[in-house]
Amino acid sequence: MTSQIGSSNVKKIITCKMTTKKDAKALIVDDDSMAHTLHKHLLSRFGFKTFTAENGKQAIELFRSGEHFDLITMDFQMPVMDGIEATKTLRDMGVDSKILGVSASDKSAVMELFIEAGVDHFFTKPLTLDKLARFFKNI
Amino acid sequence: MDRNQMQLKIACLRKSFFDEGFLDEQFIQLEDLQDDVNPNFVEEIVGSFYGDSVRLLRNLELSLEKRPFDFCKLENYMHLFKSSSSSIGAIKVKRECTRFQDYCKAGNAEGCISSYQQVKQEHAILRRKLETYFKLARQAA
């Protein structure tokens, strides 16, 4: 994963099917600023250009304004609009982006709600390079 | 202290985080994201955690001062704090957060109060250790 360029240590982009096209975009939907920072770094390693939204409503407004994202990481618990409602609304709007449901809760009920809402996969937090690599390998 | 001794001290301190159960594999995942483009990534994200946690702990303290307890609100605040803690691999802190949440679900006010003190204690212990670690790492760089 690491390439040596002169004396520098710059980690290579991890290849993934979703980012073979240029300008693959990912939207991180989470009210936690730490999740923004962490998910940005993780997704950048796979070659995504990243954007953030603080809640489900902001995410929906972005799509309504004409934006499109190849991948969405959707947190479960958020103020204003939670991840379940946001996912359902996006799917009802015809949004076909890959959606990853994420939650700090490991309860199966949360996963079931997300799957019913229309996510492509669910992960308990924290997201890691390994989890994302597995997801991208299987799509 | 020469450079080699310093680096050995840093390595031992880092190892102790895992051996003593303060941090889990998630911390290693963060280190994996660090490179020349993001040379201070781990310290930044840990700093972000401690910055956010001041606010989250304050919300919890204020809620714990009110009677009767709003256990649902308390549990939600602790859910956020636990989520942040798990992002840096703070396993002992996370364990205490879970204990607090269990007391909330049981409607056990005394349990909530005592486990909140444990959360704060583990949070403070880890903070001191990490501050020492990053300070040494900066000196060695």
Side-chain angles (χ1 to χ4, degrees):
Chain A
M1 240 187 243
T2 306
S3 67
Q4 296 295 324
I5 303 169
S7 60
S8 73
N9 168 26
V10 178
K11 301 274 169 70
K12 275 184 187 167
I13 298 288
I14 305 167
T15 52
C16 113
K17 290 178 210 171
M18 289 193 72
T19 55
T20 49
K21 69 165 200 164
K22 277 181 82 173
D23 300 330
K25 287 157 60 176
L27 178 66
I28 298 155
V29 189
D30 205 307
D31 60 331
D32 177 12
S33 60
M34 266 195 68
H36 288 176
T37 307
L38 180 58
H39 295 180
K40 267 187 194 176
H41 276 88
L42 284 169
L43 291 167
S44 299
R45 289 292 302 279
F46 287 92
F48 286 97
K49 196 172 171 188
T50 59
F51 300 83
T52 58
E54 304 263 327
N55 55 60
K57 186 172 180 233
Q58 281 187 11
I60 286 158
E61 281 164 5
L62 281 167
F63 276 91
R64 285 204 171 122
S65 72
E67 289 283 353
H68 179 77
F69 301 92
D70 302 278
L71 175 73
I72 303 168
T73 64
M74 183 74 76
D75 188 33
F76 172 56
Q77 205 166 320
M78 292 179 286
V80 184
M81 185 187 286
D82 68 24
I84 305 299
E85 193 182 342
T87 302
K88 280 183 189 166
T89 307
L90 287 170
R91 290 307 191 209
D92 287 345
M93 282 165 61
V95 169
D96 63 355
S97 312
K98 294 291 180 199
I99 303 178
L100 279 179
V102 290
S103 175
S105 171
D106 55 6
K107 291 180 193 165
S108 58
V110 173
M111 183 177 72
E112 282 164 18
L113 284 169
F114 257 129
I115 289 170
E116 225 174 83
V119 300
D120 292 280
H121 203 78
F122 172 80
F123 284 119
T124 50
K125 282 181 171 178
L127 271 184
T128 62
L129 287 174
D130 296 337
K131 284 178 183 174
L132 286 170
R134 264 187 282 131
F135 171 69
F136 292 133
K137 191 179 170 187
N138 290 326
I139 53 165
Chain B
M1 197 186 294
D2 72 17
R3 194 184 163 86
N4 285 339
Q5 283 176 320
M6 179 81 91
Q7 286 179 341
L8 186 59
K9 188 172 180 179
I10 292 166
C12 286
L13 183 54
R14 182 184 172 279
K15 188 173 181 296
S16 74
F17 291 148
F18 301 102
D19 291 346
E20 292 169 28
F22 286 102
L23 295 173
D24 66 16
E25 200 193 275
Q26 175 60 16
F27 192 79
I28 299 170
Q29 292 274 340
L30 296 182
E31 289 175 326
D32 237 8
L33 291 171
Q34 188 159 290
D35 60 14
D36 282 1
V37 176
N38 307 291
N40 303 311
F41 174 69
V42 181
E43 189 172 359
E44 279 170 15
I45 204 154
V46 168
S48 180
F49 164 67
Y50 279 106
D52 284 354
S53 63
V54 167
R55 176 180 52 84
L56 291 170
L57 288 173
R58 183 81 191 119
N59 286 338
L60 275 158
E61 295 239 7
L62 288 171
S63 295
L64 284 167
E65 283 167 13
K66 293 178 183 167
R67 298 288 185 276
F69 280 172
D70 182 342
F71 288 108
C72 190
K73 196 180 217 178
L74 285 169
E75 198 188 343
N76 284 341
Y77 280 142
M78 192 52 84
H79 171 84
L80 290 171
F81 187 74
K82 183 177 160 185
S83 176
S84 282
S85 303
S86 68
S87 292
I88 68 160
I91 191 166
K92 279 192 182 183
V93 176
K94 190 179 157 185
R95 199 174 295 140
E96 294 305 326
C97 293
T98 303
R99 212 185 304 266
F100 182 93
Q101 287 179 302
D102 290 343
Y103 282 126
C104 286
K105 283 174 194 136
N108 184 335
E110 291 300 317
C112 283
I113 292 167
S114 69
S115 70
Y116 173 68
Q117 294 308 319
Q118 286 299 114
V119 167
K120 272 187 24 173
Q121 189 174 321
E122 289 299 340
H123 175 264
I125 291 170
L126 180 62
R127 182 175 196 158
R128 281 197 296 275
K129 286 180 176 289
L130 286 170
E131 280 174 353
T132 303
Y133 173 71
F134 288 123
K135 188 178 169 184
L136 286 172
R138 272 184 259 120
Q139 284 170 2

